[in-house]
mmCIF file with all atom_site columns, all heavy atoms in Angstrom:
data_model
loop_
_atom_site.group_PDB
_atom_site.id
_atom_site.type_symbol
_atom_site.label_atom_id
_atom_site.label_alt_id
_atom_site.label_comp_id
_atom_site.label_asym_id
_atom_site.label_entity_id
_atom_site.label_seq_id
_atom_site.pdbx_PDB_ins_code
_atom_site.Cartn_x
_atom_site.Cartn_y
_atom_site.Cartn_z
_atom_site.occupancy
_atom_site.B_iso_or_equiv
_atom_site.pdbx_formal_charge
_atom_site.auth_seq_id
_atom_site.auth_comp_id
_atom_site.auth_asym_id
_atom_site.auth_atom_id
_atom_site.pdbx_PDB_model_num
ATOM 1  N N   . LEU J 1 478 ? -4.903  23.217 -32.080 1.00 0.00 ? 756 LEU J N   1
ATOM 2  C CA  . LEU J 1 478 ? -5.563  24.064 -31.092 1.00 0.00 ? 756 LEU J CA  1
ATOM 3  C C   . LEU J 1 478 ? -6.780  23.362 -30.481 1.00 0.00 ? 756 LEU J C   1
ATOM 4  O O   . LEU J 1 478 ? -7.338  22.436 -31.071 1.00 0.00 ? 756 LEU J O   1
ATOM 5  C CB  . LEU J 1 478 ? -5.999  25.383 -31.732 1.00 0.00 ? 756 LEU J CB  1
ATOM 6  C CG  . LEU J 1 478 ? -4.892  26.233 -32.352 1.00 0.00 ? 756 LEU J CG  1
ATOM 7  C CD1 . LEU J 1 478 ? -5.495  27.466 -33.029 1.00 0.00 ? 756 LEU J CD1 1
ATOM 8  C CD2 . LEU J 1 478 ? -3.861  26.647 -31.301 1.00 0.00 ? 756 LEU J CD2 1
ATOM 9  N N   . TYR J 1 479 ? -7.178  23.821 -29.299 1.00 0.00 ? 757 TYR J N   1
ATOM 10 C CA  . TYR J 1 479 ? -8.387  23.307 -28.654 1.00 0.00 ? 757 TYR J CA  1
ATOM 11 C C   . TYR J 1 479 ? -9.619  23.961 -29.280 1.00 0.00 ? 757 TYR J C   1
ATOM 12 O O   . TYR J 1 479 ? -9.700  25.198 -29.351 1.00 0.00 ? 757 TYR J O   1
ATOM 13 C CB  . TYR J 1 479 ? -8.385  23.622 -27.156 1.00 0.00 ? 757 TYR J CB  1
ATOM 14 C CG  . TYR J 1 479 ? -7.284  22.972 -26.359 1.00 0.00 ? 757 TYR J CG  1
ATOM 15 C CD1 . TYR J 1 479 ? -6.187  23.713 -25.925 1.00 0.00 ? 757 TYR J CD1 1
ATOM 16 C CD2 . TYR J 1 479 ? -7.356  21.624 -26.011 1.00 0.00 ? 757 TYR J CD2 1
ATOM 17 C CE1 . TYR J 1 479 ? -5.177  23.137 -25.177 1.00 0.00 ? 757 TYR J CE1 1
ATOM 18 C CE2 . TYR J 1 479 ? -6.345  21.028 -25.257 1.00 0.00 ? 757 TYR J CE2 1
ATOM 19 C CZ  . TYR J 1 479 ? -5.263  21.793 -24.847 1.00 0.00 ? 757 TYR J CZ  1
ATOM 20 O OH  . TYR J 1 479 ? -4.267  21.216 -24.101 1.00 0.00 ? 757 TYR J OH  1
ATOM 21 N N   . PRO J 1 480 ? -10.608 23.181 -29.709 1.00 0.00 ? 758 PRO J N   1
ATOM 22 C CA  . PRO J 1 480 ? -11.848 23.795 -30.224 1.00 0.00 ? 758 PRO J CA  1
ATOM 23 C C   . PRO J 1 480 ? -12.797 24.137 -29.071 1.00 0.00 ? 758 PRO J C   1
ATOM 24 O O   . PRO J 1 480 ? -12.932 23.380 -28.107 1.00 0.00 ? 758 PRO J O   1
ATOM 25 C CB  . PRO J 1 480 ? -12.429 22.705 -31.114 1.00 0.00 ? 758 PRO J CB  1
ATOM 26 C CG  . PRO J 1 480 ? -11.932 21.423 -30.514 1.00 0.00 ? 758 PRO J CG  1
ATOM 27 C CD  . PRO J 1 480 ? -10.578 21.720 -29.911 1.00 0.00 ? 758 PRO J CD  1
ATOM 28 N N   . LEU J 1 481 ? -13.447 25.273 -29.167 1.00 0.00 ? 759 LEU J N   1
ATOM 29 C CA  . LEU J 1 481 ? -14.434 25.707 -28.175 1.00 0.00 ? 759 LEU J CA  1
ATOM 30 C C   . LEU J 1 481 ? -15.716 26.107 -28.881 1.00 0.00 ? 759 LEU J C   1
ATOM 31 O O   . LEU J 1 481 ? -15.677 26.645 -29.990 1.00 0.00 ? 759 LEU J O   1
ATOM 32 C CB  . LEU J 1 481 ? -13.906 26.893 -27.366 1.00 0.00 ? 759 LEU J CB  1
ATOM 33 C CG  . LEU J 1 481 ? -12.753 26.642 -26.402 1.00 0.00 ? 759 LEU J CG  1
ATOM 34 C CD1 . LEU J 1 481 ? -12.278 27.953 -25.802 1.00 0.00 ? 759 LEU J CD1 1
ATOM 35 C CD2 . LEU J 1 481 ? -13.168 25.681 -25.307 1.00 0.00 ? 759 LEU J CD2 1
ATOM 36 N N   . HIS J 1 493 ? -17.360 24.445 -32.469 1.00 0.00 ? 771 HIS J N   1
ATOM 37 C CA  . HIS J 1 493 ? -15.976 24.764 -32.831 1.00 0.00 ? 771 HIS J CA  1
ATOM 38 C C   . HIS J 1 493 ? -15.875 26.178 -33.432 1.00 0.00 ? 771 HIS J C   1
ATOM 39 O O   . HIS J 1 493 ? -15.151 26.390 -34.412 1.00 0.00 ? 771 HIS J O   1
ATOM 40 C CB  . HIS J 1 493 ? -15.417 23.743 -33.809 1.00 0.00 ? 771 HIS J CB  1
ATOM 41 C CG  . HIS J 1 493 ? -15.289 22.366 -33.223 1.00 0.00 ? 771 HIS J CG  1
ATOM 42 N ND1 . HIS J 1 493 ? -14.568 21.362 -33.833 1.00 0.00 ? 771 HIS J ND1 1
ATOM 43 C CD2 . HIS J 1 493 ? -15.774 21.824 -32.083 1.00 0.00 ? 771 HIS J CD2 1
ATOM 44 C CE1 . HIS J 1 493 ? -14.633 20.264 -33.099 1.00 0.00 ? 771 HIS J CE1 1
ATOM 45 N NE2 . HIS J 1 493 ? -15.363 20.525 -32.027 1.00 0.00 ? 771 HIS J NE2 1
ATOM 46 N N   . PHE J 1 495 ? -14.547 28.727 -31.912 1.00 0.00 ? 773 PHE J N   1
ATOM 47 C CA  . PHE J 1 495 ? -13.269 29.313 -31.502 1.00 0.00 ? 773 PHE J CA  1
ATOM 48 C C   . PHE J 1 495 ? -12.204 28.223 -31.415 1.00 0.00 ? 773 PHE J C   1
ATOM 49 O O   . PHE J 1 495 ? -12.509 27.044 -31.181 1.00 0.00 ? 773 PHE J O   1
ATOM 50 C CB  . PHE J 1 495 ? -13.397 30.006 -30.142 1.00 0.00 ? 773 PHE J CB  1
ATOM 51 C CG  . PHE J 1 495 ? -14.515 30.996 -30.058 1.00 0.00 ? 773 PHE J CG  1
ATOM 52 C CD1 . PHE J 1 495 ? -15.653 30.728 -29.311 1.00 0.00 ? 773 PHE J CD1 1
ATOM 53 C CD2 . PHE J 1 495 ? -14.438 32.211 -30.732 1.00 0.00 ? 773 PHE J CD2 1
ATOM 54 C CE1 . PHE J 1 495 ? -16.690 31.631 -29.234 1.00 0.00 ? 773 PHE J CE1 1
ATOM 55 C CE2 . PHE J 1 495 ? -15.464 33.127 -30.652 1.00 0.00 ? 773 PHE J CE2 1
ATOM 56 C CZ  . PHE J 1 495 ? -16.601 32.842 -29.906 1.00 0.00 ? 773 PHE J CZ  1
#
Side-chain angles (χ1 to χ4, degrees):
L756 301 176
Y757 296 105
L759 291 174
H771 295 193
F773 308 108

